Amino acid sequence: MKDDAVLVNCARGGIVEKDALAEAVNKGEIRYGGDVWYPQPAPKDHPWRALKQTGLTVHYSGMTVEAQERIQKGVQEILTSFMNNNPINDSYLIVDNHKITNQSYQTQS
């Protein structure tokens, strides 16, 4: 990929080599956005949890149309902020400063 490319993965987390992606993002070579993890839910030590330039959103297949519309608006706002290098609304954050801030994404270990 060209430097400064943005990879958006909304298909399956497993189609991306997670360690190679983490290395490229953390070196500043590319940015990453998507709504999938592999494995899902991701363990606490998953390398994507500490990515420097990334935008990860919820994967919302199987929800009602109304729920998908609400999420679509939030995802659009998140991605617009991300692409414009603006801060993301705190209520949308799952990970902030390398710490999980959203109860829905806490894992048991």
Side-chain angles (χ1 to χ4, degrees), residues 40-45 49 100 102-109:
Q40 192 164 326
K44 288 183 178 184
D45 63 346
R49 291 191 183 273
I100 298 171
N102 186 305
Q103 282 299 116
S104 297
Y105 287 82
Q106 298 292 332
T107 60
Q108 307 295 324
S109 50

Side-chain angles (χ1 to χ4, degrees), residues 2-3 9 22-23 29-30 37 55 69 83-84 92 100 109:
K2 294 180 181 180
D3 283 351
N9 180 7
E23 181 179 340
E29 296 170 354
I30 66 169
W37 296 74
E69 288 172 356
M83 296 301 291
N84 292 322
Y92 295 137
I100 298 171
S109 50

Side-chain angles (χ1 to χ4, degrees), residues 83-103:
M83 296 301 291
N84 292 322
N85 291 317
N86 292 327
I88 295 171
N89 182 317
D90 286 346
S91 66
Y92 295 137
L93 293 178
I94 296 168
V95 176
D96 188 22
N97 199 24
H98 307 288
K99 294 184 189 221
I100 298 171
T101 60
N102 186 305
Q103 282 299 116

Side-chain angles (χ1 to χ4, degrees), residues 18-96:
K18 70 179 183 201
D19 293 323
L21 173 72
E23 181 179 340
V25 169
N26 288 330
K27 285 183 177 178
E29 296 170 354
I30 66 169
R31 293 192 294 167
Y32 178 70
D35 68 346
V36 289
W37 296 74
Y38 184 79
Q40 192 164 326
K44 288 183 178 184
D45 63 346
H46 195 290
W48 296 359
R49 291 191 183 273
L51 293 177
K52 294 178 182 175
Q53 274 288 343
T54 190
L56 294 165
T57 65
V58 297
H59 187 65
Y60 61 91
S61 65
M63 293 183 187
T64 65
V65 171
E66 295 82 6
Q68 289 182 6
E69 288 172 356
R70 285 192 306 273
I71 292 171
Q72 176 192 358
K73 290 176 184 176
V75 168
Q76 182 177 358
E77 184 180 326
I78 290 167
L79 293 176
T80 299
S81 295
F82 175 71
M83 296 301 291
N84 292 322
N85 291 317
N86 292 327
I88 295 171
N89 182 317
D90 286 346
S91 66
Y92 295 137
L93 293 178
I94 296 168
V95 176
D96 188 22

